[in-house]
C-alpha cells in the first residue's frame, strides 16, 4: 500500500493503489484521443452508476460546486427551494440558495434524527416549491435520509428532487431509473457528488447527474447566473469529450475512471451491503467501549459515524493519540465540537484497516483511563461483520 496512514475522516478516504497508479499516468492534452477515450468511458460509466437516461457532468471542483450546479441550473431568482436538512451539509443549501436570490425554506431535523415526514408533507402542501434538496447522508451527523419516503412526496408536490450524494454515492444506491413507490413519475431528478468520499478518488471532481426533467428545467430558465457552473456550457463537452470549454483535470479523470471500473466490478448491490455491514460493525465495536453513536441504528449512515465521547475524554488528546499511531479521524462540527468524533468507513477502506482502528481507539481510551476491552471489541467487530454479511 502506498498509504502510510489509515485515513478514516469522512472524506477524503483511502486511495487504492490501482487508483494512485491511474492518477500518476502521463498527463496528456485534453483533446488527445487517448485521453478523450478515457473521459468518454468515465461519462458512460457514470450514467451506468446512476442508471440515468439524462446527462452527467464531470468537472474540476468539489462537492460544493456540484451543489451549486444543482441549484443554479434549476431554480431561478425569486423561486422557492425547500431544504430538508439532517445537519451541517444540508444547511449549506440555505446560504447557497440565498446567494442566488432564491426563496429558501428549511426543515431542520434535530441532529442525529431524520426530518419528520409529517412536517415534510405539511411544508410541501403549502405549495410552490421548484425543487427540494435531500442530503442522502449527512457527514456531520451520520444520519441517512429515507429516500423511499421522501422522493414520492417531493414528486407528488411537483418539485424537482435533488439528492446530495457526496457521502453516499458509490456506497448507497442512487438509481435515477427507479420508480419510487412503483410510480413512473416518482424518480430522482438530480444526484450530485464529489470524488473523494465513497468513490475513493482524491478530492477535485464535481460529479452531477441530471434527469431529462432536470435538463428541461435548465432549458426553461434561459439565462442563469453562472458561467463555469452553467451546465449549458458543459453539455456539448459531455456529448463530445473531444471538444473544449474549460480544461478538464486530466489525471483526476484517469483516477475516477479506474475507481468507477472498481465500483461497477463490485456491483452496487454488493457495495451497498458491504457498507451497511461496515457501519453496523464499527458502531457495534465502539459501543463495547461505551462510545455511543449520535444516530440511532435505524437511521445511521453506512458510510460514516458520529460517535459521542464517554464522560471525561479529551477530544484533542484522543485524536492526537490515534494520529500518532497512524489512524486519522475527524472532529465534530458545530455544537458537537469536542464532544464527538467522526469516523469514515467507506469506499476502498478495508476490513483489516477498520479492525486496526478499533484496536487503536481502545488503546487511546485506555490512555485516558477508560477500561476498554480491546479483544472484546475486535471480536464484536468481526462477529457483527460476519452476521451482517450473512443477514444481508
Ligand atoms: C463533503 C460533503 C459536501 C461538500 O463537499 P466538498 O467536496 O467538501 O465541497 C457536501 N455534502 C455532503 C453530504 C458532504 O459529505
Amino acid at each position: 500500500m502506498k498509504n502510510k496512514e489509515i485515513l478514516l475522516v469522512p472524506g477524503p478516504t483511502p486511495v487504492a493503489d490501482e487508483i494512485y497508479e491511474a492518477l500518476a499516468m502521463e498527463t496528456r492534452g485534453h483533446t488527445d484521443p487517448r485521453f478523450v477515450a478515457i473521459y468518454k468511458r468515465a461519462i458512460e460509466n457514470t450514467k451506468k452508476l446512476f442508471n440515468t437516461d439524462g446527462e452527467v457532468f464531470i468537472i474540476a471542483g468539489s462537492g460544493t460546486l456540484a451543489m451549486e450546479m444543482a441549484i443554479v441550473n434549476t431554480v431561478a431568482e425569486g423561486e422557492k427551494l425547500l431544504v430538508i436538512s439532517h445537519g451541517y451539509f444540508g444547511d449549506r443549501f440555505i446560504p447557497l440558495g440565498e446567494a442566488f436570490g432564491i426563496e429558501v425554506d428549511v426543515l431542520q431535523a434535530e441532529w442525529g434524527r431524520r426530518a419528520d415526514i409529517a412536517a415534510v408533507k405539511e411544508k410541501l402542501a403549502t405549495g410552490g416549491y421548484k425543487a427540494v434538496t435531500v442530503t442522502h447522508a449527512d457527514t456531520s451527523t451520520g444520519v441517512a435520509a429515507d429516500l423511499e419516503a421522501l422522493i414520492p412526496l417531493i414528486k407528488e408536490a411537483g418539485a424537482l428532487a435533488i439528492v446530495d450524494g457526496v457521502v453516499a454515492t458509490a456506497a448507497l444506491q442512487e438509481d435515477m431509473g427507479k420508480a419510487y413507490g412503483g410510480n413512473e413519475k416518482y424518480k430522482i431528478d438530480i444526484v450530485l457528488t464529489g470524488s473523494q468520499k465513497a468513490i475513493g478518488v482524491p478530492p477535485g471532481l464535481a460529479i452531477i447527474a441530471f434527469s431529462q426533467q432536470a435538463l428541461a428545467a435548465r432549458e426553461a430558465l434561459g439565462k442563469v447566473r453562472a458561467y463555469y457552473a452553467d451546465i449549458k456550457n458543459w453539455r456539448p463537452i459531455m456529448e463530445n469529450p473531444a471538444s473544449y470549454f474549460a480544461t478538464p483535470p486530466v489525471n483526476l479523470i484517469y483516477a475516477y475512471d479506474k475507481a468507477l471500473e472498481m465500483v461497477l466490478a463490485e456491483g452496487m448491490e454488493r457495495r451497498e451491503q458491504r457498507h451497511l455491514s461496515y457501519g453496523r460493525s464499527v458502531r457495534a465495536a465502539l459501543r463495547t467501549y461505551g462510545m455511543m453513536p449520535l444516530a440511532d441504528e435505524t437511521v445511521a449512515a453506512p458510510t460514516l459515524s458520529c460517535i459521542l465521547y464517554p464522560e471525561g475524554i479529551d477530544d484533542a488528546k484522543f485524536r492526537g493519540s490515534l494520529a500518532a499511531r497512524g489512524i486519522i479521524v475527524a472532529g465534530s462540527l458545530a455544537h458537537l465540537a469536542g464532544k464527538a468524533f467522526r469516523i469514515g468507513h467507506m469506499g476502498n477502506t478495508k476490513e483489516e484497516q477498520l479492525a486496526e482502528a478499533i484496536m487503536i481507539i481502545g488503546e487511546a481510551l485506555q490512555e485516558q483511563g477508560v477500561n476498554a476491552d480491546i479483544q472484546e471489541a475486535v471480536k464484536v467487530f468481526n462477529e457483527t461483520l460476519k452476521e451482517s454479511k450473512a443477514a444481508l
Side-chain angles (χ1 to χ4, degrees), residues 47 50-55 176-177 187 210-212 215:
K47 286 184 185 167
F50 294 124
N51 186 28
T52 180
D53 62 356
E55 190 54 273
M176 294 174 74
K187 291 181 179 171
F210 276 62
S211 69
Q212 290 296 343
L215 290 170

Side-chain angles (χ1 to χ4, degrees), residues 119-160:
V120 173
K121 275 188 195 158
E122 211 172 287
K123 257 298 190 228
L124 285 170
T126 66
Y129 292 108
K130 181 74 173 291
V132 179
T133 64
V134 179
T135 311
H136 200 172
D138 202 296
T139 319
S140 59
T141 56
V143 169
D146 182 3
L147 297 186
E148 296 291 335
L150 292 173
I151 301 298
L153 293 179
I154 295 166
K155 297 306 294 177
E156 177 71 38
L160 293 165

Side-chain angles (χ1 to χ4, degrees), residues 81-87 90-95 98 103-109 115 119-120 123 129 133:
L81 173 71
L82 178 62
V83 172
I84 299 175
S85 176
H86 297 111
D91 287 353
R92 180 166 284 192
F93 280 109
I94 304 167
E98 287 169 354
E103 229 184 277
V104 183
D105 270 347
V106 59
L107 266 176
Q108 271 155 324
V120 173
K123 257 298 190 228
Y129 292 108
T133 64

